[in-house]
Amino acid sequence: MNDTYSLAKWFSFIFFAALLFVNPLGARSAEAKAGKIKRPNIILIVTDNQSERLLGAYGNTHIKTPHIDQLAAEGSLVANAFAASGVCSPTRAALLTGLMPSQTGIHVALPPVVDLENWSAIEEFRNLPSALSAAGYVTGLVGKYHLGNHYKPQIGFDHWVTFHGGHTTTFWDQEVVDNGETYRMQGHLTDFWTDKAIEFVRDQTDKKPFFLMLAYNGPYMLPPTVLMEPRGKHAAYYSKNIPPMPQTPIHPYLESWARGKGPTGQMVKDGTTAWRAIRALNNPIAMINTAAEMSLLDDGIGRLVASLKAQGLDEDTLIVFTSDQGSSYGQHGLWGNTSWSFPFAAYNMNMRVPLIVRYPRLIAAGQTTDRIVNQVDIFPTILDYANVADKNIPNSSGKSIVSILEGKNTDWDDVAFFEFVTVRVIETPKWKYSKSYHDDVTAELYDLEADPEELNNLIAVSEHTKIIEQLDQQLDAYFTKYSDSKYDLWRGGTAKAQLLGNHYGKDYIFSDRFPDWKTPKVEKLSPYVEK
């Protein structure tokens, strides 16, 4: 699959670059500079546990995603976009606050409900919906939230359609909260979210700009959902046209987790999370479900864009398409996001996300950039396009990528930072260096120019000692500068709500190292107030 993926990706990049020369900004750019363009409507589409490699725009020739590919053809595709972390709650927090997990205190997936009324995990930080609401936007959430209790609107959202928690056990006939009303919807959740998103857009008749966060919980890719009998609109097609998947041995981290090596020394019985991941490897059912959910999600985006065009809103709507984090589907013998192994593996399949931005008024069609973009850059970018007067995000390392998206020359630090509980990573166009909180886990260094699939760990090669030292210092300097000591796990900090105790039974790795370590808790903090 790697050869097919690389060749197709190369041709897609050539295609998008060619479009740039036949569709320049021209008069639109002059019109924007003259201040004649109104503040855009904004739709942030976030998928769940999705590798960029599932999309035609990123080189996949086996899974049908024509509408997402069209977004890329009509906008700007970021070839090197990185999640801030490896699981949904911390990455969604990064999208909405521009902050890393060691700043927000959200290190793992949060509980579906906590015993504190209307608790929000990020309300003490400046956040995207509150900032846009204060700037005059009508704001709506449709889909997955997973950043606090879900029964009432939070953090500046006016319109609120969501579901219980964040883990998807099935896409069918689920209980939802629809602006205060709780009921069981009928059918597939992806179709339901799309219907509700179109409904929200159609209701915007007072001429105010709107912000919609459309947070699909598909394609998801995680067991047990991905191991269920395929059903739905695209299941029959992919049952006959199964996309290829890597045939690789089980990764030692996943095998170790499945065997239950730990303080008790006991074997973990079949049926655990780890064994579900192992059963997904090389399993055609898992790939059929993944592809079918991806194509259904693509259908939904096509319907939403068609609705925008029917209302005459297409030219004036900024669409940002991305995912919360990536997901392996066999690469390196892993399945799922970074949390689906222990110790935690952080390969680019887990770290990289799709990022496509379409705004016909200011972004010329067919652009592709290979600049490295971090997830925390999305919040300041949206503030920039919304022309919000106060663009400052306290303590954020994020920066607006407007100039990159519009194809302008700009000074840019091509470096990505990533953290998930016990692993931290720095990545440049050439080098990737990761290290672990665990003393017995070997650090990793990859030369991405020579080894893009991260197969040859160079950490023990003496000639690379200097670059390892430089990357290590740069990684430490970043987290020293931006982390909040209260939530910096590597300096004795803790987490909000939960950490590794509930799911992994491993909070002892922090309490053993830091005698005064405080267990995670839920507390009400003072909400951030827009100036």
Side-chain angles (χ1 to χ4, degrees):
M1 175 155 183
N2 292 340
D3 290 342
T4 302
Y5 165 76
S6 299
L7 183 60
K9 183 175 180 180
W10 172 249
F11 280 121
S12 70
F13 287 176
I14 292 175
F15 171 70
F16 294 140
L19 284 177
L20 175 61
F21 293 100
V22 299
N23 187 18
L25 285 174
R28 291 202 306 272
S29 180
E31 185 182 0
K33 290 178 180 178
K36 296 180 181 179
I37 292 180
K38 64 181 182 180
R39 183 172 284 176
N41 303 309
I42 301 166
I43 300 178
L44 172 60
I45 303 172
V46 184
T47 62
D48 200 351
N49 285 291
Q50 187 217 314
S51 168
E52 58 178 10
R53 294 193 186 187
L54 299 181
L55 301 175
Y58 284 86
N60 193 303
T61 59
H62 304 282
I63 299 177
K64 296 179 179 295
T65 56
H67 301 104
I68 299 172
D69 300 346
Q70 187 68 19
L71 286 181
E74 295 175 352
S76 186
L77 180 146
V78 179
N80 293 300
F82 288 83
S85 189
V87 73
C88 48
S89 294
T91 55
R92 288 162 192 270
L95 276 169
L96 295 182
T97 67
L99 303 176
M100 299 291 286
S102 54
Q103 295 176 290
T104 63
I106 307 169
H107 291 282
V108 297
L110 293 173
V113 178
V114 302
D115 190 21
L116 185 60
E117 186 177 359
N118 206 31
W119 178 71
S120 168
I122 61 171
E123 65 181 348
E124 73 268 31
F125 306 110
R126 191 177 197 208
N127 58 76
L128 180 56
S130 290
L132 292 178
S133 178
Y137 275 76
V138 177
T139 59
L141 169 74
V142 172
K144 179 173 173 176
Y145 179 55
H146 210 182
L147 287 171
N149 290 344
H150 62 284
Y151 297 104
K152 297 179 182 179
Q154 296 190 349
I155 57 171
F157 281 113
D158 305 312
H159 185 88
W160 185 260
V161 185
T162 187
F163 77 134
H164 181 77
H167 183 51
T168 299
T169 55
T170 177
F171 285 102
W172 298 89
D173 304 334
Q174 291 296 289
E175 184 176 273
V176 296
V177 177
D178 184 350
N179 291 295
E181 181 184 0
T182 299
Y183 59 90
R184 188 168 297 278
M185 49 72 63
Q186 300 298 309
H188 196 290
L189 266 174
T190 293
D191 290 333
F192 177 79
W193 302 138
T194 301
D195 291 342
K196 286 297 177 179
I198 292 172
E199 181 182 295
F200 171 81
V201 172
R202 285 176 178 168
D203 287 346
Q204 306 313 307
T205 58
D206 60 0
K207 304 303 180 183
K208 285 185 177 180
F210 65 80
F211 165 63
L212 171 65
M213 181 174 178
L214 173 54
Y216 287 109
N217 59 314
Y220 200 61
M221 298 182 64
L222 299 181
T225 312
V226 80
L227 296 174
M228 294 178 177
E229 186 67 24
R231 59 186 288 204
K233 180 179 178 182
H234 297 283
Y237 173 82
Y238 287 114
S239 294
K240 296 179 180 178
N241 301 275
I242 303 173
M245 56 198 304
Q247 306 291 311
T248 50
I250 300 171
H251 194 288
Y253 286 0
L254 179 55
E255 184 175 7
S256 174
W257 187 27
R259 292 183 178 278
K261 295 178 181 178
T264 64
Q266 297 176 352
M267 289 289 288
V268 177
K269 294 181 180 180
D270 191 11
T272 63
T273 299
W275 277 106
R276 290 191 186 104
I278 288 173
R279 286 203 301 272
L281 293 172
N282 306 323
N283 186 337
I285 295 297
M287 206 63 219
I288 292 167
N289 275 317
T290 295
E293 296 301 338
M294 192 69 248
S295 287
L296 188 63
L297 192 153
D298 182 80
D299 291 342
I301 293 173
R303 289 203 288 130
L304 177 60
V305 173
S307 177
L308 288 171
K309 291 180 178 179
Q311 291 180 252
L313 299 174
D314 182 50
E315 291 284 307
D316 294 316
T317 300
L318 168 71
I319 298 177
V320 180
F321 172 86
T322 189
S323 181
D324 51 4
Q325 67 274 329
S327 182
S328 298
Y329 49 96
Q331 294 85 355
H332 295 276
L334 294 168
W335 189 280
N337 60 44
T338 303
S339 71
W340 280 66
S341 61
F342 195 85
F344 300 120
Y347 296 105
N348 277 352
M349 285 301 300
N350 313 110
M351 292 171 51
R352 284 173 59 150
V353 293
L355 179 56
I356 297 168
V357 183
R358 178 186 180 275
Y359 183 25
R361 289 290 186 191
L362 291 177
I363 299 176
Q367 297 196 74
T368 297
T369 178
D370 59 2
R371 307 308 295 262
I372 288 179
V373 173
N374 287 270
Q375 201 164 49
V376 294
D377 297 326
I378 292 177
F379 183 6
T381 301
I382 292 177
L383 288 184
D384 206 352
Y385 273 121
N387 196 25
V388 173
D390 180 9
K391 295 183 176 62
N392 178 53
I393 304 170
N395 305 316
S396 174
S397 62
K399 294 172 291 185
S400 171
I401 61 168
V402 164
S403 59
I404 290 174
L405 296 173
E406 295 181 3
K408 300 171 184 175
N409 292 326
T410 183
D411 291 331
W412 192 256
D413 294 328
D414 280 305
V415 58
F417 294 96
F418 175 96
E419 63 171 327
F420 183 70
V421 188
T422 60
V423 62
R424 285 178 172 173
V425 182
I426 180 173
E427 182 162 329
T428 69
K430 180 172 177 60
W431 296 107
K432 177 176 180 178
Y433 169 71
S434 64
K435 67 177 181 178
S436 175
Y437 174 97
H438 302 279
D439 294 333
D440 59 345
V441 176
T442 303
E444 298 178 53
L445 177 73
Y446 297 101
D447 180 347
L448 298 173
E449 291 178 354
D451 179 26
E453 297 298 321
E454 304 166 82
L455 301 176
N456 184 23
N457 184 6
L458 303 174
I459 200 68
V461 178
S462 58
E463 67 183 85
H464 298 313
T465 300
K466 186 174 181 180
I467 188 63
I468 292 170
E469 291 176 351
Q470 292 174 348
L471 292 170
D472 187 75
Q473 290 172 4
Q474 192 175 355
L475 183 63
D476 286 348
Y478 176 85
F479 284 101
T480 297
K481 179 178 180 178
Y482 289 107
S483 294
D484 182 337
S485 59
K486 179 180 179 180
Y487 298 125
D488 187 344
L489 300 175
W490 293 46
R491 292 190 287 165
T494 188
K496 291 177 178 174
Q498 65 183 17
L499 192 53
L500 300 183
N502 291 9
H503 192 55
Y504 301 90
K506 297 181 185 295
D507 276 354
Y508 66 88
I509 65 177
F510 303 101
S511 58
D512 284 356
R513 180 172 294 189
F514 302 102
D516 296 328
W517 187 74
K518 295 178 174 60
T519 58
K521 65 178 181 179
V522 174
E523 59 182 335
K524 187 74 172 177
L525 300 173
S526 298
Y528 182 91
V529 178
E530 286 288 328
K531 299 175 183 177

